[in-house]
Amino acid sequence: MEETEKGVFSSGCRGCSKGGDCVGCARREPRGKLLAHNWLDDLPGEDPTAPVEVLFKNTRIGFYKNPSALPLKIGDIVAVEASPGHDIGRVTMTGHLVELQMKKAGVKPGSELKKVFRIARANDIEKFEEARAKEHSTMIRARAIAEELGLAMKIGDVEYQGDGGKAIFYYIADERVDFRKLIRILADTFKVRIEMKQIGARQEAGRIGGIGPCGRPLCCSSWLGKFVSVGTGCARMQDLSMNPQKLAGQCAKLKCCLNFEVDAYAEAQKQLPAKDIVLETKDGSYYYFKPDILARKVTYSTDKNIPANLVTIDASRAFEIIALNKQGIKVESLDVASSSEEKANTEYGDIIGQDSLTRFDKNKKKKKKKKKPSDNISASHTEQREQNSRQQRQNGQQPQVSHNGSNRQQQRPKRKNKPNPPQEGGNSR
């Protein structure tokens, strides 16, 4: 019995010897809610016949009353009322938390709820496993039928009811689809009651599963049961770049995790000055440029449209300047630290180096090489010769050749004319 119950809601890989109970398997059913702590468990006055929350396949949940006062706890597999027959699910929440979840889901307190029949027996689980074994083949056959009819839809998954008398077909479609003929063909083919349920891209991503950019399993496939609409205002509130590739998840929609920190950013933004307030200083006016919301800092610019002379100050300093400006006082500068440093530099200067840590160290003086007198004499003679040669060129005279100077000119000896060679047939004298 325990081994059978262990693998009821574990859709592991086909042929897996562990029956889908392997840790980290991407095809496991979402079980994150089973790990939630019931923080209202110690609250007195709990009704034993209070409603419970039951989880089915593909994050489908339902609220059922417990008229028999069964001692249900989180993780129990139960047989609940369905139309028609019964269904098999797992209890995910009990006690006072269920009332809060019903209020969150929009279920009215006085509405009629279906009831829990019993804790599932061995024959209930065996029958449910037989029905689940037909889900994959039913989905493949239904896809082929929808393609033959030319319907613009994709059947993503099939869920059989616990007693096998009903099948829910989950499909995705961009436009409205007339599937009345499809329902008749499916009912005649599989001999069960057919229910069509349209899901979105988020539900499809949660059904398939995967790893998000954070390195953890997708929230929609692990613990997130209800999807809340996500708008671009969440990204603007958190001062994120409006890059669709970074803001979109694997479902090509905005990431659900953008909603997680919006409340914290909205609360922190209330502690920042308004964007239309201009800070007045003696040097000029500073305009609101960009905030660092969680750090409680604001960057101001001297130009409205482009970043110029940017100064980043704390929000408390900004409110202080705003209060002084209302009194007609203009501060010297926005940043207090910069002005205090300037005052410190003007008031005190370490001229003799008395605050230096190395003031007692001996300074090693480098000895300068003395020039030899002969070098000085030769250099002076060379300069005198060059000056004389420049003056002679200006006067149009031929510069005198010095045998020891740098402008020494070598006179080549004149070549003597050689006698012509004797011609053939001539007399040479």
Side-chain angles (χ1 to χ4, degrees), residues 164-184:
K166 180 182 176 181
I168 302 175
F169 290 81
Y170 296 92
Y171 72 95
I172 302 174
D174 296 333
E175 300 177 355
R176 185 178 179 86
V177 180
D178 186 7
F179 45 76
R180 289 176 292 182
K181 186 176 180 181
L182 176 64
I183 292 176
R184 290 195 298 267

Side-chain angles (χ1 to χ4, degrees), residues 90-110:
R90 187 188 290 270
V91 178
T92 55
M93 193 174 294
T94 60
H96 298 283
L97 285 178
V98 181
E99 299 177 0
L100 299 178
Q101 290 295 324
M102 291 174 62
K103 184 178 180 180
K104 186 178 180 180
V107 180
K108 296 181 180 179

Side-chain angles (χ1 to χ4, degrees), residues 72-262:
L72 300 177
K73 60 182 181 299
I74 295 178
D76 289 342
I77 300 175
V78 293
V80 298
E81 182 183 359
S83 56
H86 70 273
D87 202 354
I88 302 295
R90 187 188 290 270
V91 178
T92 55
M93 193 174 294
T94 60
H96 298 283
L97 285 178
V98 181
E99 299 177 0
L100 299 178
Q101 290 295 324
M102 291 174 62
K103 184 178 180 180
K104 186 178 180 180
V107 180
K108 296 181 180 179
S111 59
E112 186 67 22
L113 299 177
K114 297 179 181 179
K115 58 183 178 180
V116 178
F117 287 144
R118 59 187 176 273
I119 296 177
R121 297 190 290 261
N123 56 350
D124 296 331
I125 296 176
E126 290 176 2
K127 193 172 183 179
F128 178 54
E129 287 291 342
E130 292 177 1
R132 290 198 63 184
K134 300 183 294 182
E135 290 178 353
H136 185 71
S137 59
T138 302
M139 179 187 66
I140 299 300
R141 177 59 179 151
R143 285 182 178 179
I145 295 173
E147 187 176 358
E148 291 175 0
L149 295 176
L151 300 177
M153 60 184 296
K154 174 191 173 183
I155 298 177
D157 198 4
V158 178
E159 178 186 0
Y160 269 92
Q161 198 170 271
D163 56 358
K166 180 182 176 181
I168 302 175
F169 290 81
Y170 296 92
Y171 72 95
I172 302 174
D174 296 333
E175 300 177 355
R176 185 178 179 86
V177 180
D178 186 7
F179 45 76
R180 289 176 292 182
K181 186 176 180 181
L182 176 64
I183 292 176
R184 290 195 298 267
I185 296 175
L186 293 178
D188 296 338
T189 304
F190 302 111
K191 308 299 181 185
V192 292
R193 185 174 180 180
I194 305 299
E195 180 181 349
M196 304 296 294
K197 189 173 183 179
Q198 185 176 4
I199 60 176
R202 298 180 188 274
Q203 289 85 351
E204 180 70 7
R207 187 188 65 82
I208 296 174
I211 302 297
C214 57
R216 297 177 61 85
L218 296 178
C219 297
C220 54
S221 64
S222 58
W223 63 272
L224 191 63
K226 298 185 186 309
F227 296 95
V228 182
S229 61
V230 185
T232 56
C234 300
R236 293 191 182 93
M237 179 74 70
Q238 300 175 46
D239 198 17
L240 299 176
S241 61
M242 304 304 292
N243 189 349
Q245 296 180 353
K246 293 183 178 180
L247 297 180
Q250 297 186 6
C251 57
K253 304 291 183 181
L254 291 177
K255 295 179 182 178
C256 296
C257 54
L258 292 176
N259 280 335
F260 297 166
E261 298 180 358
V262 171

